[in-house]
Amino acid sequence: MTLHPEIAEFLAALPAPPEGPLDPVAMRAADETHLPPVEERLPLHAVHDVTAKTDAGEVPVRVYTPAEADTYGLLVYFHGGAFFLGSLETHDHVARSLAQETGLRVVSVGYRLAPEAAFPAGLDDCYAAVRWAAGEDSGLDWDGATLAVAGDSSGGTFAAAVAARAHDDGFDRITHQILYYPSLDLDFDADRYPSLRENATGYGLETAGLKPFNAFYLDSGADPADPLVSPIKRTDLSGLPPALVVTAEHDPLRDEGELYGERLRAAGVAATVRRYPGAGHGFVQHFSWIPEYHRVFEETRDFLNRR
């Protein structure tokens, strides 16, 4: 299927990227200028910011409560942005949609970003936030039943790494991992996966841009051979939580996500892999207003309800 016409129209109207090295501060500021005012966002029962006091230090989180209840299933969400972009604000609409559709209390994590924070600061924040959320001191009234981790793009990397780290630590409370077009192999050799060639140009995220966009993270000490950096490098995937892996047809990262799902299944993990036709990388963040892509939130709900 060709690229969805509304996505193609949007990409065609984008200005050429500025020449020269990437400027994280300027790029973050630009992202924040396109946000709708709070009063125009999807309404929920409650949305509030909290400082989670964790073993990794104080981590800002935003809590989304879809309805009043005595206890809640929890979904801890990690935003994308190549480890140096993204924020609680830029992905606020994703967290709201997840809360509304799943009925879970969503905890979005404002983890530390590269290059200012060296590896593994961001990963430490994400893992610590999950453990905090499940604790009595969090005040989140976890029901003890559902504790999911989810993320898009580099946030999907963190979700997979957090699930693996929790397993290795004997923290067995994570019940689901939800990975939206995750970056699972930070060795960006263009010959490693066919989709890196097939979707190299013209679909938003380009293969040639993977190295420079991820350089802030890798240069901060993240080793692509480390399974906590490239989760697909993990040799033993058995015992990990059930997974939903969502990929996009026109994404350079498509094949590594689908291979990860296959490897999870081969290791005895219940894994569902869904490829969204006509979509490119980032469609959950940027194009979930298109009905056929908003369905990803319904699919997430159905996956969580299967347990």
Side-chain angles (χ1 to χ4, degrees):
M1 179 177 176
T2 59
L3 192 64
H4 190 285
E6 292 182 79
I7 298 178
E9 182 180 2
F10 173 84
L11 294 178
L14 287 177
E19 296 183 0
L22 301 177
D23 183 340
V25 175
M27 293 174 73
R28 291 171 195 152
D31 280 351
E32 300 279 343
T33 64
H34 303 296
L35 303 175
V38 172
E39 60 270 18
E40 295 180 9
R41 301 179 191 183
L42 179 68
L44 295 173
H45 175 71
V47 177
H48 62 282
D49 291 343
V50 178
T51 298
K53 299 184 185 304
T54 77
D55 291 342
E58 295 188 344
V59 180
V61 302
R62 182 168 293 171
V63 180
Y64 301 81
T65 305
E68 188 172 1
D70 293 330
T71 61
Y72 299 89
L74 300 180
L75 186 154
V76 185
Y77 170 68
F78 314 126
H79 66 76
F83 308 100
F84 79 99
L85 291 172
S87 68
L88 297 177
E89 285 293 323
T90 61
H91 289 67
D92 179 79
H93 62 294
V94 177
R96 287 174 184 263
S97 293
L98 283 169
Q100 181 190 54
E101 199 60 51
T102 66
L104 301 181
R105 179 170 258 176
V106 172
V107 182
S108 184
V109 181
Y111 57 84
R112 288 171 287 176
L113 300 174
E116 293 88 347
F119 175 84
L123 176 59
D124 286 347
D125 288 351
C126 292
Y127 181 49
V130 172
R131 300 197 64 145
W132 167 83
E136 293 183 1
D137 293 341
S138 71
L140 297 178
D141 301 316
W142 179 44
D143 63 10
T146 299
L147 179 61
V149 293
D152 62 296
S153 193
S154 55
T157 315
F158 279 156
V162 164
R165 186 168 169 182
H167 174 71
D168 292 346
D169 286 351
F171 180 75
D172 60 358
R173 298 183 179 185
I174 297 176
T175 58
H176 306 77
Q177 53 178 321
I178 301 156
L179 317 178
Y180 301 129
Y181 39 81
S183 176
L184 297 169
D185 189 347
L186 272 71
D187 178 351
F188 296 119
D189 179 349
D191 293 318
R192 291 183 67 81
Y193 304 100
S195 59
L196 289 168
R197 293 289 188 189
E198 179 183 333
N199 298 318
T201 60
Y203 299 111
L205 176 66
E206 304 207 337
T207 297
L210 292 172
K211 285 184 178 179
F213 266 80
N214 288 274
F216 297 115
Y217 187 55
L218 298 178
D219 291 348
S220 80
D223 181 358
D226 182 347
L228 291 178
V229 176
S230 298
I232 205 166
K233 306 282 190 183
R234 186 178 174 90
T235 55
D236 183 5
L237 300 179
S238 62
L240 295 179
L244 171 63
V245 184
V246 170
T247 66
E249 179 183 10
H250 299 296
D251 183 358
L253 306 184
R254 181 195 69 207
D255 290 351
E256 63 198 71
E258 295 178 0
L259 176 60
Y260 191 66
E262 293 173 10
R263 290 196 55 226
L264 285 169
R265 286 195 290 258
V269 176
T272 300
V273 178
R274 290 284 186 265
R275 179 190 294 187
Y276 275 65
H281 189 85
F283 77 89
V284 174
Q285 180 189 1
H286 298 295
F287 298 106
S288 59
W289 51 268
I290 298 174
E292 50 264 56
Y293 300 139
H294 190 81
R295 186 168 57 85
V296 73
F297 300 116
E298 299 169 8
E299 184 154 21
T300 299
R301 175 203 63 205
D302 294 344
F303 166 70
L304 290 164
N305 287 341
R306 281 188 213 127
R307 186 174 185 268

